[in-house]
Amino acid sequence: MVGMRDVAKEAGVSLSTVSLVVNDTGYVSHDMRDRVAAAMKKLDYIPNELARNFYRDRTDMIGVIVPTITHPFFSTLAAALQHELAGKGYRTLLCSQADTEAGEAEYVDMLQRHMMDGIIMAAHTSHDPDYWTSIGRPVVAFDRYLGAGIPSIGSDHVHGGQLIAQQLIRTGARHVVSIGGPRSQFHDLPAQGSRSPQGSQGSQDSQLTQLSQSTQAGQSRQIRAKAGVGASVSGASNGSDSVDTTFPTVRYYLTLERELSQAAIRYDYIEVGEVYDVQGYPRIAHEIFERFPDVDAIVGSDVSAAYCIQEALRRGRRIPDELQIIAYDGSYLADAAGMRITAIRQDFAMIAKLASERIIAEIGKSETGKATRAATSGQSSGAMRRDGAAAPASPGEDGTEERPDVRPQSALVPVQLRLGETTRG
């Protein structure tokens, strides 16, 4: 088996020079580098990836955690992330929570054991913020709040809610039904520590819960009071709204609910099961028309919207004359439902670009920190006062953290309303 010593002999250079070239560390002249590369090619030398990763303390591997790859939104997002990361020299290790018993914990363990360089977390989590902030390794969140100091990339859902409301108000909608995930996610931080693990609510997935208008109105006032969602929508769109949730996507529901309420348009929210409960979507479509025969507008994910179109056509409802349908996501499915669905389009390419750039930046910061710690390893690890006592901790270092009611995301990606055949005007 050809080794680095053979390459060094063939190239007429030292073993250390070959090591620098193989591991891409340190300075090697262009001439030397070319000689080593030519020798490697001639001898068909294949570097030991495991040894190289150990030497560099890098794997060039990034984990991407999604709830499920069966959902069009997350399969499209995963593909966009893989494409973007590959262009930057990283490989993607995909974790579908619905298809692994250990969920994200297995991938977090791999990250802590340096089997990957970072994680992009794009799934709901039952772990509280302390879990994520204690990892101490590069993590970037997509459309969720994981903990203080963890960057979060997301779409501008407040603007998404505004665009839907404006379209429905302008076209004379009278009764709007919105389909979404568990309403508990709208304000999950206070009770998050006591929540059951992700996926334990499987027995409840088939229960389609419709909040009555009066109950919802009371909850809505409560949520808006906590969230600071009031007269200034523009402030919310800039990320300054305060929402007691780990799930920023709820901002589109809250905004839509508020805008329609102010326009005196009836609004009902229907809970479907977890996002990986694919069987729940056709059931919810049937349930809507049974419960609300006067519904004239439906808003939901691309999957929900597609099933609602099928159910409406089976019942002889004319789209868009009698019934308008708006999808939220704008994945490929919005064009494959038999009608081109009017949709709020999330920019998958931009989301992937920003998320990949941010995780790579976090990896760079982590490596810089390791180098700094190594350079100062001989010094005391804690700052000391002249009297020998430890210096006071800076805010947050003592483990006590003021509850983060205001959590602006690191980057908000604009959304667009793409008109199709399922709305009027």
PDB file of all heavy atoms in Angstrom, residues 384-404:
ATOM      1  N   MET A 384      -8.318  36.535  37.428  1.00  0.00           N
ATOM      2  CA  MET A 384      -8.204  36.700  38.867  1.00  0.00           C
ATOM      3  C   MET A 384      -7.999  38.168  39.202  1.00  0.00           C
ATOM      4  O   MET A 384      -7.339  38.912  38.492  1.00  0.00           O
ATOM      5  CB  MET A 384      -7.012  35.887  39.390  1.00  0.00           C
ATOM      6  CG  MET A 384      -7.081  34.404  39.062  1.00  0.00           C
ATOM      7  SD  MET A 384      -8.460  33.553  39.862  1.00  0.00           S
ATOM      8  CE  MET A 384      -7.885  33.581  41.571  1.00  0.00           C
ATOM      9  N   ARG A 385      -8.546  38.564  40.339  1.00  0.00           N
ATOM     10  CA  ARG A 385      -8.308  39.911  40.820  1.00  0.00           C
ATOM     11  C   ARG A 385      -6.981  39.946  41.555  1.00  0.00           C
ATOM     12  O   ARG A 385      -6.393  38.906  41.863  1.00  0.00           O
ATOM     13  CB  ARG A 385      -9.446  40.314  41.773  1.00  0.00           C
ATOM     14  CG  ARG A 385     -10.785  40.375  41.106  1.00  0.00           C
ATOM     15  CD  ARG A 385     -11.794  41.126  41.912  1.00  0.00           C
ATOM     16  NE  ARG A 385     -11.693  40.883  43.348  1.00  0.00           N
ATOM     17  CZ  ARG A 385     -12.757  40.771  44.144  1.00  0.00           C
ATOM     18  NH1 ARG A 385     -13.968  40.868  43.661  1.00  0.00           N
ATOM     19  NH2 ARG A 385     -12.604  40.575  45.448  1.00  0.00           N
ATOM     20  N   ARG A 386      -6.498  41.125  41.835  1.00  0.00           N
ATOM     21  CA  ARG A 386      -5.209  41.227  42.519  1.00  0.00           C
ATOM     22  C   ARG A 386      -5.232  40.591  43.897  1.00  0.00           C
ATOM     23  O   ARG A 386      -4.218  40.164  44.404  1.00  0.00           O
ATOM     24  CB  ARG A 386      -4.799  42.702  42.640  1.00  0.00           C
ATOM     25  CG  ARG A 386      -4.423  43.313  41.300  1.00  0.00           C
ATOM     26  CD  ARG A 386      -3.876  44.699  41.460  1.00  0.00           C
ATOM     27  NE  ARG A 386      -3.474  45.257  40.177  1.00  0.00           N
ATOM     28  CZ  ARG A 386      -2.931  46.455  40.038  1.00  0.00           C
ATOM     29  NH1 ARG A 386      -2.740  47.229  41.101  1.00  0.00           N
ATOM     30  NH2 ARG A 386      -2.571  46.892  38.848  1.00  0.00           N
ATOM     31  N   ASP A 387      -6.443  40.539  44.527  1.00  0.00           N
ATOM     32  CA  ASP A 387      -6.532  39.939  45.851  1.00  0.00           C
ATOM     33  C   ASP A 387      -6.652  38.418  45.790  1.00  0.00           C
ATOM     34  O   ASP A 387      -6.794  37.759  46.803  1.00  0.00           O
ATOM     35  CB  ASP A 387      -7.723  40.514  46.626  1.00  0.00           C
ATOM     36  CG  ASP A 387      -9.046  40.262  45.914  1.00  0.00           C
ATOM     37  OD1 ASP A 387      -9.034  39.565  44.880  1.00  0.00           O
ATOM     38  OD2 ASP A 387     -10.082  40.768  46.382  1.00  0.00           O
ATOM     39  N   GLY A 388      -6.586  37.869  44.547  1.00  0.00           N
ATOM     40  CA  GLY A 388      -6.610  36.424  44.389  1.00  0.00           C
ATOM     41  C   GLY A 388      -7.986  35.847  44.179  1.00  0.00           C
ATOM     42  O   GLY A 388      -8.116  34.667  43.882  1.00  0.00           O
ATOM     43  N   ALA A 389      -9.026  36.664  44.314  1.00  0.00           N
ATOM     44  CA  ALA A 389     -10.389  36.163  44.105  1.00  0.00           C
ATOM     45  C   ALA A 389     -10.715  36.152  42.629  1.00  0.00           C
ATOM     46  O   ALA A 389     -10.151  36.919  41.849  1.00  0.00           O
ATOM     47  CB  ALA A 389     -11.397  37.036  44.859  1.00  0.00           C
ATOM     48  N   ALA A 390     -11.628  35.290  42.271  1.00  0.00           N
ATOM     49  CA  ALA A 390     -12.038  35.226  40.874  1.00  0.00           C
ATOM     50  C   ALA A 390     -12.751  36.499  40.486  1.00  0.00           C
ATOM     51  O   ALA A 390     -13.495  37.081  41.265  1.00  0.00           O
ATOM     52  CB  ALA A 390     -12.959  34.028  40.665  1.00  0.00           C
ATOM     53  N   ALA A 391     -12.502  36.945  39.258  1.00  0.00           N
ATOM     54  CA  ALA A 391     -13.162  38.144  38.761  1.00  0.00           C
ATOM     55  C   ALA A 391     -14.643  37.867  38.581  1.00  0.00           C
ATOM     56  O   ALA A 391     -15.038  36.735  38.291  1.00  0.00           O
ATOM     57  CB  ALA A 391     -12.542  38.569  37.436  1.00  0.00           C
ATOM     58  N   PRO A 392     -15.490  38.888  38.758  1.00  0.00           N
ATOM     59  CA  PRO A 392     -16.929  38.678  38.584  1.00  0.00           C
ATOM     60  C   PRO A 392     -17.244  38.190  37.181  1.00  0.00           C
ATOM     61  O   PRO A 392     -16.629  38.621  36.208  1.00  0.00           O
ATOM     62  CB  PRO A 392     -17.519  40.082  38.825  1.00  0.00           C
ATOM     63  CG  PRO A 392     -16.457  40.836  39.554  1.00  0.00           C
ATOM     64  CD  PRO A 392     -15.158  40.276  39.106  1.00  0.00           C
ATOM     65  N   ALA A 393     -18.203  37.305  37.105  1.00  0.00           N
ATOM     66  CA  ALA A 393     -18.601  36.782  35.795  1.00  0.00           C
ATOM     67  C   ALA A 393     -19.354  37.842  35.021  1.00  0.00           C
ATOM     68  O   ALA A 393     -20.067  38.659  35.589  1.00  0.00           O
ATOM     69  CB  ALA A 393     -19.474  35.544  35.968  1.00  0.00           C
ATOM     70  N   SER A 394     -19.161  37.820  33.724  1.00  0.00           N
ATOM     71  CA  SER A 394     -19.916  38.732  32.890  1.00  0.00           C
ATOM     72  C   SER A 394     -21.335  38.215  32.780  1.00  0.00           C
ATOM     73  O   SER A 394     -21.610  37.070  33.110  1.00  0.00           O
ATOM     74  CB  SER A 394     -19.280  38.818  31.497  1.00  0.00           C
ATOM     75  OG  SER A 394     -19.237  37.548  30.914  1.00  0.00           O
ATOM     76  N   PRO A 395     -22.281  39.024  32.326  1.00  0.00           N
ATOM     77  CA  PRO A 395     -23.681  38.603  32.270  1.00  0.00           C
ATOM     78  C   PRO A 395     -23.848  37.283  31.538  1.00  0.00           C
ATOM     79  O   PRO A 395     -23.366  37.113  30.424  1.00  0.00           O
ATOM     80  CB  PRO A 395     -24.347  39.752  31.507  1.00  0.00           C
ATOM     81  CG  PRO A 395     -23.491  40.933  31.805  1.00  0.00           C
ATOM     82  CD  PRO A 395     -22.096  40.397  31.874  1.00  0.00           C
ATOM     83  N   GLY A 396     -24.531  36.371  32.198  1.00  0.00           N
ATOM     84  CA  GLY A 396     -24.810  35.086  31.578  1.00  0.00           C
ATOM     85  C   GLY A 396     -23.815  33.994  31.911  1.00  0.00           C
ATOM     86  O   GLY A 396     -24.095  32.827  31.752  1.00  0.00           O
ATOM     87  N   GLU A 397     -22.627  34.360  32.411  1.00  0.00           N
ATOM     88  CA  GLU A 397     -21.611  33.355  32.682  1.00  0.00           C
ATOM     89  C   GLU A 397     -21.901  32.545  33.938  1.00  0.00           C
ATOM     90  O   GLU A 397     -21.359  31.474  34.128  1.00  0.00           O
ATOM     91  CB  GLU A 397     -20.234  34.012  32.807  1.00  0.00           C
ATOM     92  CG  GLU A 397     -19.690  34.541  31.491  1.00  0.00           C
ATOM     93  CD  GLU A 397     -18.322  35.155  31.635  1.00  0.00           C
ATOM     94  OE1 GLU A 397     -17.877  35.363  32.786  1.00  0.00           O
ATOM     95  OE2 GLU A 397     -17.682  35.421  30.609  1.00  0.00           O
ATOM     96  N   ASP A 398     -22.711  33.092  34.832  1.00  0.00           N
ATOM     97  CA  ASP A 398     -22.993  32.383  36.075  1.00  0.00           C
ATOM     98  C   ASP A 398     -24.124  31.378  35.916  1.00  0.00           C
ATOM     99  O   ASP A 398     -24.592  30.803  36.892  1.00  0.00           O
ATOM    100  CB  ASP A 398     -23.346  33.381  37.177  1.00  0.00           C
ATOM    101  CG  ASP A 398     -24.586  34.196  36.835  1.00  0.00           C
ATOM    102  OD1 ASP A 398     -25.095  34.050  35.705  1.00  0.00           O
ATOM    103  OD2 ASP A 398     -25.014  34.974  37.688  1.00  0.00           O
ATOM    104  N   GLY A 399     -24.577  31.159  34.693  1.00  0.00           N
ATOM    105  CA  GLY A 399     -25.618  30.177  34.447  1.00  0.00           C
ATOM    106  C   GLY A 399     -27.016  30.737  34.579  1.00  0.00           C
ATOM    107  O   GLY A 399     -27.983  30.085  34.228  1.00  0.00           O
ATOM    108  N   THR A 400     -27.144  31.950  35.091  1.00  0.00           N
ATOM    109  CA  THR A 400     -28.461  32.561  35.185  1.00  0.00           C
ATOM    110  C   THR A 400     -28.642  33.481  34.011  1.00  0.00           C
ATOM    111  O   THR A 400     -27.791  34.297  33.708  1.00  0.00           O
ATOM    112  CB  THR A 400     -28.595  33.375  36.489  1.00  0.00           C
ATOM    113  OG1 THR A 400     -27.634  34.420  36.488  1.00  0.00           O
ATOM    114  CG2 THR A 400     -28.379  32.485  37.701  1.00  0.00           C
ATOM    115  N   GLU A 401     -29.745  33.308  33.355  1.00  0.00           N
ATOM    116  CA  GLU A 401     -29.983  34.079  32.143  1.00  0.00           C
ATOM    117  C   GLU A 401     -31.378  34.659  32.187  1.00  0.00           C
ATOM    118  O   GLU A 401     -32.350  33.959  32.476  1.00  0.00           O
ATOM    119  CB  GLU A 401     -29.860  33.164  30.921  1.00  0.00           C
ATOM    120  CG  GLU A 401     -30.104  33.873  29.617  1.00  0.00           C
ATOM    121  CD  GLU A 401     -30.090  32.887  28.479  1.00  0.00           C
ATOM    122  OE1 GLU A 401     -29.436  31.845  28.606  1.00  0.00           O
ATOM    123  OE2 GLU A 401     -30.747  33.164  27.449  1.00  0.00           O
ATOM    124  N   GLU A 402     -31.465  35.936  31.937  1.00  0.00           N
ATOM    125  CA  GLU A 402     -32.782  36.540  31.891  1.00  0.00           C
ATOM    126  C   GLU A 402     -33.579  35.895  30.766  1.00  0.00           C
ATOM    127  O   GLU A 402     -33.078  35.644  29.690  1.00  0.00           O
ATOM    128  CB  GLU A 402     -32.644  38.045  31.621  1.00  0.00           C
ATOM    129  CG  GLU A 402     -33.972  38.770  31.653  1.00  0.00           C
ATOM    130  CD  GLU A 402     -33.799  40.256  31.416  1.00  0.00           C
ATOM    131  OE1 GLU A 402     -32.655  40.709  31.377  1.00  0.00           O
ATOM    132  OE2 GLU A 402     -34.816  40.941  31.258  1.00  0.00           O
ATOM    133  N   ARG A 403     -34.841  35.600  31.053  1.00  0.00           N
ATOM    134  CA  ARG A 403     -35.665  34.898  30.077  1.00  0.00           C
ATOM    135  C   ARG A 403     -35.713  35.680  28.769  1.00  0.00           C
ATOM    136  O   ARG A 403     -36.070  36.848  28.740  1.00  0.00           O
ATOM    137  CB  ARG A 403     -37.083  34.725  30.632  1.00  0.00           C
ATOM    138  CG  ARG A 403     -37.919  33.809  29.777  1.00  0.00           C
ATOM    139  CD  ARG A 403     -39.210  33.514  30.505  1.00  0.00           C
ATOM    140  NE  ARG A 403     -40.097  32.766  29.649  1.00  0.00           N
ATOM    141  CZ  ARG A 403     -40.849  33.340  28.718  1.00  0.00           C
ATOM    142  NH1 ARG A 403     -40.818  34.633  28.535  1.00  0.00           N
ATOM    143  NH2 ARG A 403     -41.638  32.615  27.961  1.00  0.00           N
ATOM    144  N   PRO A 404     -35.323  35.037  27.660  1.00  0.00           N
ATOM    145  CA  PRO A 404     -35.149  35.756  26.394  1.00  0.00           C
ATOM    146  C   PRO A 404     -36.474  35.999  25.676  1.00  0.00           C
ATOM    147  O   PRO A 404     -36.832  35.285  24.761  1.00  0.00           O
ATOM    148  CB  PRO A 404     -34.251  34.815  25.585  1.00  0.00           C
ATOM    149  CG  PRO A 404     -34.617  33.456  26.100  1.00  0.00           C
ATOM    150  CD  PRO A 404     -35.006  33.621  27.541  1.00  0.00           C
TER     151      PRO A 404
END
